[in-house]
């Protein structure tokens, strides 16, 4: 790992940002300056001070405490959504890649339709039917991201299946299932890592947007997206209220994106050769 | 009964015939060379026997192997022969190996698939196979990844994989084209020795006449999907019947002349 890190700016910067986020998550279970939900009318719109390090919102709730606890919803939804997206997307992508040509094009078509379907629309539909909740947000984000994962996985798997070593494996009598397990999956690994980290970014962003739109985890559980939505009325009076959750979101999204880039660098086949 | 009997084999992509009504037979323990310039349909013929044509290809005619008709055989049944009764060595020894799998596992593959070996048994057999194909320090080789080996070593691995289950037929599709001339010589000698020892039949595919003359007594000359001449190597050299064969020979002579200054390989 240390060797992989060396000189890999994206991986280093990304790892630091991701670590900050996880540190917040762990901290949220141990200590927060205040109860994030405690209302203190006398602290309404308190500025940055020793009392409230990041200030307080309209009803005097401590911003730092809300940011710390808000990491739970964000990371919980992202983790679940990415699990759903990777499981569905990777299975679908591989299935399509190995399917006979006759079934391939309708399935590719179906993925393309799913791709055109934004997470927000799906979330609105699900929220309308089941009521907005963490589960509807996870489902909407997971399904929408799965389509993108399926698309990339199919393309990568297709390239692997067309390789000489898969032909050679067939020539050794390997079954399709064996080829998937022993040849396709290991050679997909780099691509999957990159996709997973990108999927985390997308999911965090999507979760924030859905919370912002009131389609995510319902109040009072603090969430960065909803903090952003709540601060919008006071944007000109009190811009800091929007900036703090904004920074938090940017750190997670950028962090996972950079990690993805860094991983890409590590797995670049032109760099791999040199380790012999 | 012949080991392999190919009758009127035709392979097309759409309306384009890439193999055009070819026939040949191969007795048990016998060898045949398939020679022809690039694109003449040699690989398609080999892949048809393996049942590994691209699924856009259409195939007709008949291929019987050990008395069993292979055309129209289900993929599942065909895969019982592949790597087991019929082994194949490929042209590119690097790309034909999985870059992320250790050599030992790759050699053990066919044994685990066809002989029900455990990984441990497969690796033990792989060690023997490494020695058999003349690789020094087999313990290290089994733990290595393909990119850590030289081209010649990789092709020896390819041979070890193809011969793991002691096939009745070995198909070598330009096995030395990607190798240096000196390494080429070693690998050819190895194939010769192993095929003799195992008593396998051999289909040796090449575009290089001097190479085929080192490997087989009989050759089928292919041009544009057709077999234009079927002869022994000796008679092909002395009295080529077909214009195309004559061209192949003069090309070979030319190459030999330009080599002879450096000691003349093969
Ligand atoms: N998947 C494919 N689709 C269409 N044509 C193909 C395909 N694969 C090979 N061909 C054509 O088949 C012909 C014979 O190819 P091949 O058997 O590989 O020749 P070679 O004698 O060099 O091994 C070539 O003209 C090639 O262009
Ligand atoms: Mg070829």
């Amino acid at each position: 790992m240390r060797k992989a890190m060396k000189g890999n700016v994206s991986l280093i910067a990304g790892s630091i940002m991701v670590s900050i986020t996880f540190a917040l998550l762990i901290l949220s279970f141990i200590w927060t300056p205040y109860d994030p939900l405690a209302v203190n009318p006398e602290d309404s719109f308190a500025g940055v001070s020793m009392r409230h390090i990041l200030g307080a919102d309209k009803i005097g709730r401590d911003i730092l405490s809300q940011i710390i606890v808000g990491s739970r919803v964000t990371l919980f939804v992202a983790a679940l959504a990415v699990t759903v997206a990777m499981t569905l997307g990777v299975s679908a992508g591989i299935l399509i890649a190995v399917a006979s040509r006759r079934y391939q094009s309708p399935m590719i078509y179906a993925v393309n339709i799913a791709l055109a379907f934004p997470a927000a629309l799906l979330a609105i539909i699900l929220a309308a039917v089941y009521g907005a909740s963490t589960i509807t947000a996870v489902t909407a984000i997971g399904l929408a991201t799965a389509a993108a994962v399926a698309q990339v996985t199919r393309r990568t798997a297709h390239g692997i299946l067309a390789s000489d070593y898969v032909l050679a494996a067939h020539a050794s009598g390997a079954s399709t299932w064996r080829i998937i397990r022993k040849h396709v999956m290991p050679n997909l690994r780099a691509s999957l890592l990159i996709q997973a980290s990108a999927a985390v970014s997308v999911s965090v962003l999507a979760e924030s947007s859905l919370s912002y739109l009131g389609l995510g985890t319902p109040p009072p559980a603090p969430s960065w997206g909803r903090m952003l939505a709540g601060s919008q009325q006071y944007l000109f009076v009190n811009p800091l209220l929007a900036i703090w959750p904004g920074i938090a979101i940017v750190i997670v999204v950028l962090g996972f994106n950079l990690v993805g880039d860094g991983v890409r660098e590590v797995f670049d086949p032109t760099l791999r050769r040199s380790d012999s | 009964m012949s080991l392999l009997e190919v009758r009127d084999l035709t392979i097309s992509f759409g309306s384009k015939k890439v193999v055009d009504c070819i026939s040949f037979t191969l007795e048990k323990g016998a060898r045949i060379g398939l020679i022809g310039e690039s694109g003449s349909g040699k690989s398609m013929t080999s892949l048809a026997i393996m049942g590994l044509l691209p699924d856009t290809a259409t195939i007709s005619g008949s291929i019987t192997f050990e008395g069993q008709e292979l055309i129209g055989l289900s993929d599942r049944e065909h895969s019982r022969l592949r790597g087991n009764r019929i082994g194949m060595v490929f042209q590119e020894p690097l790309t034909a190996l999985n870059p992320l799998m250790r050599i030992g596992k790759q050699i053990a593959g066919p044994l685990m698939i066809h002989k029900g070996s455990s990984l441990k048994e497969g690796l033990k057999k792989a060690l023997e196979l490494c020695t058999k194909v003349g690789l020094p320090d087999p313990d290290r080789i089994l733990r290595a990844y393909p990119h850590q080996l030289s081209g010649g070593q990789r092709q020896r691995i390819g041979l070890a994989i193809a011969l793991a289950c002691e096939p009745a037929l070995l198909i070598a599709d330009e096995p030395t084209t990607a190798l240096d001339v000196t390494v080429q010589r070693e690998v050819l000698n190895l194939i010769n020795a192993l095929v003799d020892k195992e008593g396998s039949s051999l289909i040796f595919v090449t575009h290089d006449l001097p190479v085929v003359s080192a490997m087989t007594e009989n050759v089928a000359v292919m041009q544009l999907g057709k077999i234009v001449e079927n002869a022994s190597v000796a008679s092909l050299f002395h009295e080529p019947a077909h214009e195309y064969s004559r061209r192949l020979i003069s090309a070979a002579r030319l190459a030999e002349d330009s080599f002879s200054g450096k000691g003349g390989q093969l």
Side-chain angles (χ1 to χ4, degrees):
Chain A
M1 193 64 199
R2 174 151 315 149
K3 203 165 124 198
M5 285 272 193
K6 202 173 169 195
N8 192 331
V9 179
S10 310
L11 196 56
I12 295 168
S15 304
I16 292 173
M17 293 186 193
V18 171
S19 308
I20 292 176
T21 326
F22 279 100
L24 281 186
L25 178 68
I26 294 166
L27 190 61
S28 79
F29 293 103
I30 304 171
W31 173 83
T32 51
Y34 293 88
D35 175 352
L37 301 180
V39 175
N40 276 311
E42 69 271 25
D43 286 345
S44 179
F45 292 131
V48 172
S49 65
M50 283 310 286
R51 193 171 152 78
H52 293 287
I53 295 172
L54 302 183
D57 66 5
K58 186 184 175 213
I59 51 178
R61 288 177 299 194
D62 182 54
I63 297 291
L64 180 59
S65 306
Q66 289 193 61
I67 294 272
I68 293 173
V69 175
S71 67
R72 287 185 204 165
V73 168
T74 305
L75 292 178
F76 179 71
V77 171
L80 273 188
V82 168
T83 308
V84 170
M86 293 304 288
T87 314
L88 278 180
V90 172
S91 340
I94 291 177
L95 185 72
I96 297 172
V98 299
S100 72
R101 289 159 43 80
R102 185 152 27 117
Y103 302 114
Q104 234 163 24
S105 30
M107 289 196 281
I108 292 173
Y109 202 71
V111 169
N112 284 338
I113 291 176
L115 263 179
F117 217 75
L121 194 55
L122 199 54
I124 291 171
I125 295 170
L126 288 174
V129 179
Y130 301 105
S133 69
T134 312
I135 300 300
T136 58
V138 167
T139 312
I141 298 167
L143 290 179
T145 316
V149 172
Q151 168 121 330
V152 180
T153 303
R154 177 187 69 78
R155 285 201 189 126
T156 317
H158 185 82
I160 294 169
L161 288 168
S163 69
D164 278 2
Y165 58 85
V166 167
L167 183 67
H170 274 298
S172 291
S175 62
T176 305
W177 177 235
R178 187 183 167 90
I179 284 173
I180 291 175
R181 274 184 307 133
K182 303 279 179 181
H183 300 280
V184 177
M185 287 306 283
N187 284 285
L188 263 182
R189 197 183 54 189
S191 156
L192 294 186
L193 268 172
I194 296 164
Q195 286 185 73
S197 50
V200 175
S201 295
V202 170
S203 302
V204 167
L205 214 52
E207 192 281 327
S208 302
S209 323
L210 293 186
S211 294
Y212 177 86
L213 295 170
L215 294 168
T217 305
S223 104
W224 297 344
R226 201 149 11 73
M227 288 171 75
L228 212 51
S231 66
Q232 148 179 285
Q233 277 176 266
Y234 321 108
L235 201 55
F236 293 104
V237 203
N238 228 320
L240 275 182
L241 284 186
I243 285 173
W244 298 126
I247 289 176
I249 293 167
V250 167
I251 287 178
V252 191
V253 173
L254 200 59
F256 277 98
N257 258 323
L258 287 172
V259 166
D261 271 351
V263 170
R264 198 189 315 254
E265 250 173 73
V266 173
F267 281 99
D268 190 325
T270 57
L271 302 174
R272 280 189 66 127
R273 289 287 158 75
S274 60
D275 68 11
S276 56
Chain B
M1 184 182 67
S2 308
L3 179 75
L4 179 77
E5 202 166 334
V6 175
R7 281 272 155 270
D8 302 334
L9 176 68
T10 300
I11 302 166
S12 14
F13 289 99
S15 59
K16 186 173 130 209
K17 281 187 183 166
V18 298
V19 170
D20 195 354
C21 206
I22 67 168
S23 304
F24 62 90
T25 54
L26 191 62
E27 300 303 323
K28 195 166 178 311
R31 302 175 176 193
I32 188 171
L34 275 186
I35 183 163
E37 63 195 352
S38 166
S40 53
K42 308 181 298 291
S43 294
M44 289 301 133
T45 306
S46 315
L47 291 177
I49 298 167
M50 295 299 281
L52 293 174
L53 286 174
D55 55 8
T56 45
T58 49
I59 180 170
S60 68
S62 150
I63 302 174
T64 46
F65 175 77
E66 295 184 326
Q68 186 179 23
E69 175 60 58
L70 299 186
I71 292 182
L73 197 65
S74 75
D75 188 61
R76 205 185 155 78
E77 286 178 81
H78 216 141
S79 73
R80 289 208 191 100
L81 301 175
R82 293 196 280 261
N84 187 21
R85 302 302 299 154
I86 313 176
M88 183 158 178
V89 183
F90 291 86
Q91 175 170 352
E92 285 292 338
L94 178 59
T95 55
L97 294 170
N98 182 341
L100 300 182
M101 195 192 277
R102 290 182 200 275
I103 298 294
K105 270 193 163 179
Q106 308 208 38
I107 302 179
L111 294 161
M112 294 164 74
I113 295 167
H114 298 292
K115 304 290 184 204
S117 307
S118 66
L119 178 61
K120 206 171 149 213
E121 293 162 350
L123 288 175
K124 210 172 130 224
K125 187 81 197 295
L127 207 67
E128 292 167 26
L129 283 160
C130 268
T131 315
K132 201 168 177 180
V133 296
L135 286 167
D137 199 359
D139 280 304
R140 183 187 65 87
I141 301 255
L142 291 194
R143 271 181 278 110
Y145 289 96
H147 72 269
Q148 295 168 321
L149 304 182
S150 73
Q153 289 176 320
R154 287 181 205 130
Q155 199 55 297
R156 286 168 192 264
I157 302 294
L159 203 55
I161 295 173
L163 294 176
C165 295
E166 297 165 7
L169 171 64
L170 177 70
I171 302 176
D173 187 353
E174 311 225 16
T176 58
T177 305
L179 304 176
D180 303 341
V181 183
T182 42
V183 181
Q184 193 171 6
R185 180 69 174 256
E186 289 169 18
V187 171
L188 289 178
N189 288 342
L190 179 67
I191 296 177
N192 254 330
L194 288 177
V195 168
D196 259 348
K197 196 165 146 210
E198 309 276 315
S200 325
S201 301
L202 174 70
I203 296 179
F204 192 90
V205 175
T206 182
H207 63 268
D208 201 354
L209 195 55
V211 168
V212 83
S213 66
M215 299 304 295
T216 66
E217 314 80 51
N218 294 305
V219 285
V221 181
M222 285 191 78
Q223 184 190 22
L224 299 173
K226 289 195 172 72
I227 292 184
V228 293
E229 185 165 0
N230 232 321
S232 73
V233 174
S235 69
L236 189 70
F237 262 108
H238 294 122
E239 39 189 327
H242 196 272
E243 157 63 23
Y244 179 65
S245 311
R246 254 169 258 146
R247 289 218 315 269
L248 278 176
I249 289 165
S250 54
R253 294 244 157 83
L254 217 67
E256 210 167 324
D257 289 345
S258 65
F259 264 134
S260 52
K262 297 174 199 160
Q265 305 291 345
L266 293 171

